[in-house]
Amino acid sequence: MSDDVSRDFIRKIIYDDLESGKHDEIVTRFPPEPNGYLHIGHVMSICLNFGVAAENDGRTFLRYDDTNPGKEDEVFVRAIESDVHWLGFDWADRLTHASDYFERLYESGEKLVELGLAYVDSLSADEIREHRGTLTECGRNSPFRDRSVGENMDLFRRMRAGEFVDGVHVLRAKIDMASPNMNLRDPALYRIRHISHQHTGDAWCIYPMYDFAHTLSDAFEGITHSLCTLEFEDHRPLYDWFLDNLKPPHRPRQIEFSRLNLAYAITSKRKLGVLIDNKVVSGWDDPRMPTIAGMRRRGYPAAALRNFVKRGGVTKKDKLIEMGVLENSVREILGEVAERRMAVLRPLKVVLTNYPEGRVEMMQAMNHPNRPELGKREVPFSREIWIERDDFMEDAPRKFFRLKPGGEVRLRSAYIIRCDEVVKNDAGEIVELRCSYDADTRSGTGTSDRKIKGTIHWVSGDQALPATVRLYDRLFTVPDPNTVDDIMDVLNPDSLATVEAKLEPSLASLEPGEAVQFERLGYFCQDAHDNSKDSLVFNRIVTLRDSWARIEKQAMRGQT
Ligand code: ATP
Ligand code: MG
C-alpha cells in the first residue's frame, strides 16, 4: 500500500490481510442496482471499492445487481458505465451481472434444499409476514417448514419450470424463526415472478432475493472484501450463513461503513426519481441534481468529486457533510485550471462620451493571474460597454469603491473611467451611464501612475455575445431532506435563476463543459445540451466564495 493513502479502518483490515498472507490479491466490487442514476453517495462507494483495489494492485468488478426485473432499465445501465468511467475508474473485462449467475444461484438453491436447509413455503405473502413476528416477538414456523427434501426439490424444480403463478410458493432458508435478528427468520431465497428480465429475457420465472444473490455473486467472483453501507450490518449473519453452509471455494468478508450524506441534497435514487416525475428538474442530469451526470453537466471536475469523498473519510459514524465542503473541492481544482474571462450577468450600458465612435482597441488580458504560462488574450474595447448593474450605485456609501456619480473606477485590463451623468427612463430606472475615460491610463502601458481603489469587469457593447446564464442554488430548504416525509414540501423555489448576460467574444470558442472563471463572479461552463450556434447557454458551476457560509455565520451572530 502506498504511503500517501491514509489508512481508514477498512484500509487497515485490507493491509493486515495482505501482511498476514490471508490474501495475495485484493478483489472488490461496486454493485449498483440499475434502477436510477448514480449519485454523490455512490461516488464514495466507487472511490472506495476501486480505490482500495488499485492501491494494492488488485481488481474491481462492476457488477449490476439486477435481481429486480421490472424496475431496472438499460438506460440506467449505460449511464452507470459512463459515470464510473468519467469518475476515472475502469473495470477492464470485469463487467458482470448478478443475472450472469442465475444458473449457479439456482444450483445453490437446490443444494440448500438437499442439505435440508431450504424449503418451499406455500403460505401467502401476508401469512408469511404475519408468521415472521416482530422485534419483540418470536416468529412462528410455517406449517410447510417440515416438507421432505424430496417434496421441496420437486416443488422448487416445478417453480423454475413455470408450473405456478406468482406468489403461490417461495423458497425459504431454514434457519431460526425465533432469532432476535429478523433477517435470520427463514428469509426468502426465491420468488416466482413471470416477468421479462432486461438481461435474461424470458429464461426465468423465478428470481433470487438480494441477500442470496449478492453473497454468492461475491463468492463466485472471488471478492475478498465486500464493502457495503451500514444498513447491511444486520444482514451479515445471513451473509455468513450462506457461506458457512454452501462452502464456496472463495470466502468473501463483508465490511460495513457509514453512508455519505450531503446537506441540502438527496441520496436515494428512488427519491431523486420523484423530482423527475414531478418535473421539479429537467432530468437525471439536471445540473442541480446530486447525480454524477448532473454534477458533470454542472461542470464539477471528476477530481473534485474524488477529493471530496477522500476528505469525508471512511467511518462507521453517520455523517451529513456540508455542501460547502463539496463546493470548496470544486473551487480548489477550478481555481488552478480555469482561465479567466469577462462576462456581465446583469448588464448596464455605459457610453464613453470622449471615446471616438467606431474605434475598437484590442486590450491584453491575462488568462490566469498566477499562471503566466497560460498567456494573454485580446479583448475588444469600444465606446459603448456593459458593466454589472451592481457595480454602480447612485447613493453610494463612502466605502463603495466601484462606480458612483462623479466617481472613478478602473475597467479591468483597460482604462480608468469617471461617471459624469446618470440617464433614467420615465419610470425613474437607470438605463445608461455617460462616462469619460482617461486616455493616459491604459493598463500595461505604465504611462500613468494614478491609483484607483476599485476595479470592475466589463464587456464591449458591439462585440458582446448574448448568452443565457443559469444560476443554480440548493434544491432544498432544509439540511437533511432525506428525513422529511414529502420532499415536495421542502423545495427551494429559487434553485434556478436565469439571466440574459453579455460575454466577451472569446467565449464563443469554448468547448462544452470546459470551465472558465468569469472574473469576480464565479466559475462557469457552457451547457452540454442546450446550446446552439445562435443561442449560448452557460451554467454557473460555483460562486467564487461560499456565500452560504457567510449567511449562516451572520445568522449565528444575529445579524440577518
Ligand atoms: P439508492 O437508495 O440510491 O438506490 P442503494 O444503496 O440502494 O441506494 P445501490 O445501487 O444498491 O444503491 O448501491 C450500490 C452501492 O453503493 C452499494 O454498495 C451501496 O451500499 C453504495 N451506496 C449507495 N448509497 C451510498 C451512500 N449514500 N454512501 C455510500 N455508499 C452508498
Ligand atoms: Mg437499492
Side-chain angles (χ1 to χ4, degrees):
M1 177 174 300
S2 59
D3 289 336
D4 62 332
V5 178
S6 62
R7 293 204 191 122
D8 51 67
F9 81 99
I10 290 182
R11 286 178 164 91
K12 282 199 188 90
I13 293 172
I14 287 177
Y15 181 77
D16 288 347
D17 287 349
L18 286 168
E19 278 277 289
S20 71
K22 181 177 176 189
H23 297 294
D24 302 329
E25 193 192 17
I26 299 304
V27 187
T28 58
R29 84 288 170 270
F30 172 64
E33 185 181 353
N35 61 347
Y37 276 55
L38 299 180
H39 51 62
I40 186 76
H42 295 113
V43 173
M44 174 187 181
S45 180
I46 294 168
C47 290
L48 178 62
N49 280 294
F50 281 91
V52 294
E55 287 155 23
N56 296 289
D57 301 318
R59 294 177 291 140
T60 303
F61 286 80
L62 171 59
R63 184 203 311 145
Y64 292 110
D65 158 28
D66 57 351
T67 51
N68 242 331
K71 287 203 189 138
E72 297 158 1
D73 198 314
E74 206 49 39
V75 173
F76 299 137
V77 169
R78 295 283 87 80
I80 287 170
E81 282 162 43
S82 112
D83 288 349
V84 174
H85 267 153
W86 176 79
L87 258 187
F89 298 103
D90 190 43
W91 52 86
D93 57 352
R94 292 176 290 277
L95 180 74
T96 57
H97 304 77
S99 59
D100 296 340
Y101 309 121
F102 277 177
E103 192 63 46
R104 287 170 83 181
L105 289 166
Y106 174 79
E107 284 164 15
S108 301
E110 284 204 353
K111 189 165 170 205
L112 286 176
V113 170
E114 234 168 61
L115 292 168
L117 293 173
Y119 62 98
V120 172
D121 197 354
S122 309
L123 292 180
S124 69
D126 283 340
E127 288 166 329
I128 288 178
R129 204 168 306 122
E130 205 190 299
H131 276 70
R132 180 160 292 141
T134 64
L135 285 174
T136 51
E137 222 178 283
C138 288
R140 282 177 294 132
N141 286 353
S142 161
F144 301 101
R145 198 174 195 264
D146 295 318
R147 275 175 166 154
S148 68
V149 168
E151 190 183 358
N152 282 321
M153 193 65 87
D154 174 61
L155 285 170
F156 188 39
R157 288 182 177 158
R158 287 164 61 198
M159 279 167 67
R160 176 188 182 163
E163 283 191 30
F164 308 113
V165 298
D166 291 7
V168 172
H169 304 295
V170 288
L171 184 74
R172 298 177 71 178
K174 195 172 186 175
I175 307 180
D176 179 7
M177 290 305 290
S179 171
N181 183 342
M182 302 282 280
N183 294 301
L184 296 180
R185 293 186 188 172
D186 293 8
L189 304 179
Y190 267 95
R191 74 268 199 228
I192 303 171
R193 293 195 66 195
H194 291 269
I195 180 171
S196 277
H197 183 282
Q198 84 271 12
H199 201 233
T200 57
D202 294 319
W204 294 88
C205 63
I206 57 171
Y207 291 100
M209 300 301 286
Y210 176 81
D211 286 311
F212 183 63
H214 189 77
T215 311
L216 292 179
S217 302
D218 282 350
F220 296 155
E221 288 173 354
I223 304 299
T224 53
H225 300 82
S226 178
L227 312 177
C228 60
T229 35
L230 271 183
E231 69 271 23
F232 289 101
E233 198 163 24
D234 289 348
H235 296 238
R236 184 163 15 106
L238 179 57
Y239 191 94
D240 289 337
W241 186 90
F242 290 130
L243 299 175
D244 290 343
N245 289 292
L246 286 164
K247 300 186 175 52
H250 295 284
R251 189 183 171 101
R253 170 172 174 191
Q254 175 177 309
I255 306 170
E256 310 86 18
F257 59 90
S258 61
R259 298 177 82 88
L260 182 155
N261 292 311
L262 182 63
Y264 297 96
I266 278 204
T267 41
S268 147
K269 289 185 230 121
R270 190 183 55 77
K271 288 188 182 171
L272 289 170
V274 171
L275 297 177
I276 292 165
D277 295 342
N278 285 295
K279 302 201 162 31
V280 174
V281 293
S282 61
W284 287 99
D285 69 347
D286 186 297
R288 291 167 289 176
M289 291 282 266
T291 52
I292 298 178
M295 295 187 288
R296 167 189 186 174
R297 181 171 167 195
R298 170 94 166 244
Y300 287 9
L305 298 184
R306 293 195 301 265
N307 290 347
F308 167 69
V309 299
K310 203 182 278 173
R311 241 159 239 167
V314 182
T315 64
K316 284 241 179 211
K317 237 171 70 195
D318 270 336
K319 50 182 172 264
L320 186 64
I321 304 186
E322 286 303 319
M323 191 76 111
V325 179
L326 175 58
E327 292 179 342
N328 274 336
S329 300
V330 173
R331 288 185 190 105
E332 239 171 57
I333 302 275
L334 295 184
E336 271 300 299
V337 304
E339 292 197 356
R340 278 33 171 183
R341 294 290 184 269
M342 289 198 284
V344 174
L345 296 187
R346 294 175 179 88
L348 173 63
K349 187 165 153 187
V350 170
V351 179
L352 301 172
T353 49
N354 60 341
Y355 194 89
E357 289 208 40
R359 183 200 283 187
V360 178
E361 273 179 278
M362 296 312 278
M363 300 299 177
Q364 302 287 311
M366 293 275 286
N367 283 330
H368 197 293
N370 313 325
R371 296 181 59 193
E373 75 276 15
L374 293 178
K376 293 182 171 183
R377 66 189 188 286
E378 295 203 313
V379 186
F381 184 85
S382 62
R383 182 180 154 92
E384 286 191 8
I385 58 172
W386 299 106
I387 66 165
E388 211 67 61
R389 254 174 200 282
D390 279 0
D391 284 336
F392 174 76
M393 244 179 124
E394 202 170 15
D395 298 308
R398 208 166 48 84
K399 296 235 163 190
F400 185 79
F401 296 121
R402 290 169 276 164
L403 202 54
K404 50 191 164 189
E408 285 187 314
V409 78
R410 174 172 283 286
L411 298 176
R412 166 83 89 216
S413 308
Y415 296 99
I416 293 173
I417 61 168
R418 187 183 63 232
C419 177
D420 304 316
E421 189 188 341
V422 180
V423 182
K424 296 185 180 175
N425 63 12
D426 292 344
E429 298 156 345
I430 300 170
V431 291
E432 181 181 310
L433 302 178
R434 299 184 77 80
C435 299
S436 44
Y437 87 113
D438 179 346
D440 291 335
T441 57
R442 183 173 162 156
S443 290
T445 56
T447 47
S448 162
D449 53 6
R450 290 184 54 198
K451 291 268 179 290
I452 289 285
K453 269 227 157 104
T455 300
I456 63 173
H457 59 274
W458 53 276
V459 170
S460 171
D462 283 345
Q463 293 82 11
L465 297 172
T468 301
V469 178
R470 296 176 178 157
L471 308 172
Y472 301 108
D473 204 338
R474 288 142 172 73
L475 263 174
F476 298 99
T477 53
V478 293
D480 195 359
N482 288 299
T483 59
V484 301
D485 290 338
D486 188 354
I487 56 172
M488 297 300 288
D489 293 340
V490 291
L491 293 174
N492 175 8
D494 302 317
S495 61
L496 169 64
T498 56
V499 291
E500 295 307 318
K502 306 286 183 189
L503 315 183
E504 69 167 71
S506 72
L507 286 163
S509 55
L510 210 59
E511 290 292 315
E514 183 185 345
V516 288
Q517 183 188 113
F518 287 175
E519 297 232 19
R520 301 174 62 227
L521 297 172
Y523 297 97
F524 293 77
C525 67
Q526 203 173 317
D527 188 72
H529 297 339
D530 296 340
N531 277 285
S532 66
K533 255 214 330 281
D534 20 52
S535 96
L536 290 174
V537 177
F538 274 73
N539 296 322
R540 182 171 69 196
I541 304 169
V542 67
T543 54
L544 289 182
R545 272 174 294 277
D546 187 351
S547 52
W548 273 62
R550 261 203 329 261
I551 291 166
E552 273 158 25
K553 256 191 221 132
Q554 276 172 8
M556 270 158 52
R557 285 197 233 110
Q559 288 181 355
T560 39

